[in-house]
Amino acid sequence: MKTKILVVTLTLASLCVLTSCQPKKSEDKKTGVAKIEAPQSNVTKEEIRAIIRSMPTQTEIIKLINSTGASYLAGFTNESLNTQNLLTRSEKAMALGSVLFDLAYTHMYRQVEPFNKLIKISETLTKDMGFEEIVESIKTLRADYEKNKDNKEELDKIFEEWRVDSKKLLYTSGSVKDISLIYSAGVVKSLNVISYLTLFAPQKDQLLVVLKNQKGAMNAVCEILSKSPGDPDISKYLETLTPINKIFQSTEPFTQKSIEEINSRTVAVVK
């Protein structure tokens, strides 16, 4: 008797499920409208990519820093980053953006040991985020770097080709959120480095010009993040960066205090 009741119950449950699903399917077919998962789904990668393409690359920014004659100072890069402390995908994306800037920075200044450590960290982060093609490209970069370690011109060529290829792979494999956070974190890390050098390096005047010229990059970061208002991680990040952008967009001249504020606020994000 119990078996019969169970069979009847399961049959009725199955009919209810089928009945509830059928109208939804027919409605989906009728309208042909994709399900909207979140507000940020309205943002396209191409929108984000267009903004990024309009801005200087990390390599170009680092060359500007280098042109001032500023010396490399230890402690800028995240070669000691413990990736196990990064619990969310958003944290990993932001860390990756910062590390990719550090990688370009240490390449430019030929800091071999930090560069090698950062390659390993980049490999770990991209693997954790499921960017398998980028993982393989990093392995190739490491091998090519070792083969040509005494050839400066060849190393520059290898790194630049890898940078361009990895960016293409990121656009293909990453989500809008991934791309937004990675790019933004790279810009914020560059601001942290430039503001620190402006405060403490001898070449203050030249570095101050470089820092002021990051106005467009900072505004672009806020523009990118503002396109995903429904994401709590991005909204929180944008809230943190808005005061920095206000400093850049202000008509008031930069002061020691404002530069210190840029540095302290950016270090809180990239540490």
Side-chain angles (χ1 to χ4, degrees):
M1 184 63 180
K2 288 184 179 180
T3 303
K4 289 183 179 179
I5 293 172
L6 179 60
V7 171
V8 171
T9 303
L10 290 174
T11 302
L12 289 172
S14 299
L15 287 172
C16 289
V17 171
L18 288 172
T19 304
S20 62
C21 289
Q22 284 175 352
K24 185 176 180 181
K25 285 183 179 180
S26 61
E27 185 179 342
D28 288 346
K29 288 180 181 179
K30 183 179 179 181
T31 60
V33 178
K35 181 182 177 183
I36 299 175
E37 297 179 355
Q40 65 265 29
S41 62
N42 293 325
V43 185
T44 66
K45 290 184 186 180
E46 194 52 42
E47 284 182 77
I48 304 300
R49 190 174 184 178
I51 298 171
I52 294 174
R53 276 200 299 251
S54 69
M55 304 311 301
T57 65
Q58 291 181 346
T59 300
E60 289 169 339
I61 293 171
I62 294 165
K63 284 182 178 178
L64 283 174
I65 298 173
N66 193 39
S67 70
T68 67
S71 302
Y72 177 87
L73 299 176
F76 280 162
T77 61
N78 279 323
E79 64 264 28
S80 299
L81 177 68
N82 185 349
T83 56
Q84 292 181 343
N85 292 334
L86 305 172
L87 304 179
T88 68
R89 186 178 183 85
S90 294
E91 289 175 339
K92 291 175 182 178
M94 291 168 67
L96 180 58
S98 180
V99 166
L100 290 176
F101 177 85
D102 290 338
L103 200 60
Y105 193 88
T106 52
H107 163 75
M108 177 71 70
Y109 284 91
R110 293 294 183 264
Q111 300 295 309
V112 178
E113 186 176 350
F115 182 84
N116 288 334
K117 289 180 179 179
L118 288 163
I119 283 183
K120 292 180 181 178
I121 293 172
S122 300
E123 186 177 341
T124 299
L125 288 171
T126 50
K127 185 176 182 179
D128 287 349
M129 296 183 72
F131 299 143
E132 294 300 331
E133 289 181 295
I134 301 179
V135 172
E136 293 305 313
S137 76
I138 292 173
K139 290 179 180 178
T140 301
L141 173 64
R142 182 192 295 157
D144 290 344
Y145 230 78
E146 181 61 28
K147 290 177 186 176
N148 298 275
K149 59 185 177 182
D150 298 321
N151 188 332
K152 182 181 180 299
E153 290 184 3
E154 188 62 24
L155 287 180
D156 287 340
K157 181 182 176 182
I158 289 169
F159 186 81
E160 184 59 20
E161 288 178 352
W162 174 80
R163 188 191 67 78
V164 172
D165 289 343
S166 61
K167 182 182 283 188
K168 289 178 181 177
L169 291 173
L170 177 61
Y171 283 136
T172 302
S173 306
S175 65
V176 166
K177 182 174 180 178
D178 291 334
I179 297 168
S180 299
L181 290 177
I182 291 170
Y183 169 74
S184 300
V187 172
V188 173
K189 183 57 190 280
S190 72
L191 291 177
N192 179 250
V193 170
I194 300 168
S195 60
Y196 184 89
L197 286 171
T198 305
L199 288 170
F200 299 107
Q203 305 85 356
K204 289 185 183 299
D205 292 342
Q206 295 179 60
L207 283 162
L208 184 57
V209 172
V210 174
L211 182 61
K212 288 179 178 178
N213 286 341
Q214 304 313 304
K215 174 180 178 178
M218 185 69 249
N219 196 52
V221 164
C222 291
E223 182 182 356
I224 286 171
L225 297 178
S226 67
K227 288 183 177 294
S228 299
D231 188 286
D233 293 332
I234 288 185
S235 295
K236 183 179 179 182
Y237 192 29
L238 177 59
E239 185 179 343
T240 302
L241 299 182
T242 298
I244 303 173
N245 195 34
K246 285 182 178 179
I247 294 173
F248 276 97
Q249 306 309 318
S250 172
T251 56
E252 296 295 321
F254 277 36
T255 63
Q256 180 81 4
K257 184 178 179 181
S258 60
I259 298 170
E260 287 176 352
E261 185 175 354
I262 291 170
N263 184 254
S264 63
R265 287 184 181 276
T266 53
V267 78
V269 176
V270 300
K271 65 179 180 178

PDB file of all heavy atoms in Angstrom, residues 23 46 151 164:
ATOM      1  N   PRO A  23       4.812  26.062 -19.934  1.00  0.00           N
ATOM      2  CA  PRO A  23       4.465  27.428 -20.323  1.00  0.00           C
ATOM      3  C   PRO A  23       5.690  28.320 -20.408  1.00  0.00           C
ATOM      4  O   PRO A  23       5.783  29.181 -21.268  1.00  0.00           O
ATOM      5  CB  PRO A  23       3.532  27.881 -19.188  1.00  0.00           C
ATOM      6  CG  PRO A  23       2.987  26.622 -18.620  1.00  0.00           C
ATOM      7  CD  PRO A  23       4.089  25.624 -18.727  1.00  0.00           C
ATOM      8  N   GLU A  46      33.086  44.640 -25.414  1.00  0.00           N
ATOM      9  CA  GLU A  46      33.581  45.609 -26.397  1.00  0.00           C
ATOM     10  C   GLU A  46      33.503  47.034 -25.851  1.00  0.00           C
ATOM     11  O   GLU A  46      34.368  47.854 -26.151  1.00  0.00           O
ATOM     12  CB  GLU A  46      32.774  45.493 -27.706  1.00  0.00           C
ATOM     13  CG  GLU A  46      33.426  46.209 -28.884  1.00  0.00           C
ATOM     14  CD  GLU A  46      34.871  45.819 -29.089  1.00  0.00           C
ATOM     15  OE1 GLU A  46      35.218  44.630 -28.990  1.00  0.00           O
ATOM     16  OE2 GLU A  46      35.676  46.740 -29.345  1.00  0.00           O
ATOM     17  N   ASN A 151      70.028  38.659 -23.672  1.00  0.00           N
ATOM     18  CA  ASN A 151      69.767  39.455 -24.880  1.00  0.00           C
ATOM     19  C   ASN A 151      68.642  40.457 -24.581  1.00  0.00           C
ATOM     20  O   ASN A 151      67.466  40.123 -24.653  1.00  0.00           O
ATOM     21  CB  ASN A 151      69.380  38.544 -26.045  1.00  0.00           C
ATOM     22  CG  ASN A 151      69.279  39.279 -27.363  1.00  0.00           C
ATOM     23  OD1 ASN A 151      68.993  40.478 -27.398  1.00  0.00           O
ATOM     24  ND2 ASN A 151      69.487  38.563 -28.462  1.00  0.00           N
ATOM     25  N   VAL A 164      50.759  41.547 -25.424  1.00  0.00           N
ATOM     26  CA  VAL A 164      49.672  41.727 -26.394  1.00  0.00           C
ATOM     27  C   VAL A 164      48.829  40.455 -26.500  1.00  0.00           C
ATOM     28  O   VAL A 164      47.590  40.507 -26.491  1.00  0.00           O
ATOM     29  CB  VAL A 164      50.241  42.114 -27.779  1.00  0.00           C
ATOM     30  CG1 VAL A 164      49.136  42.114 -28.826  1.00  0.00           C
ATOM     31  CG2 VAL A 164      50.908  43.484 -27.711  1.00  0.00           C
TER      32      VAL A 164
END
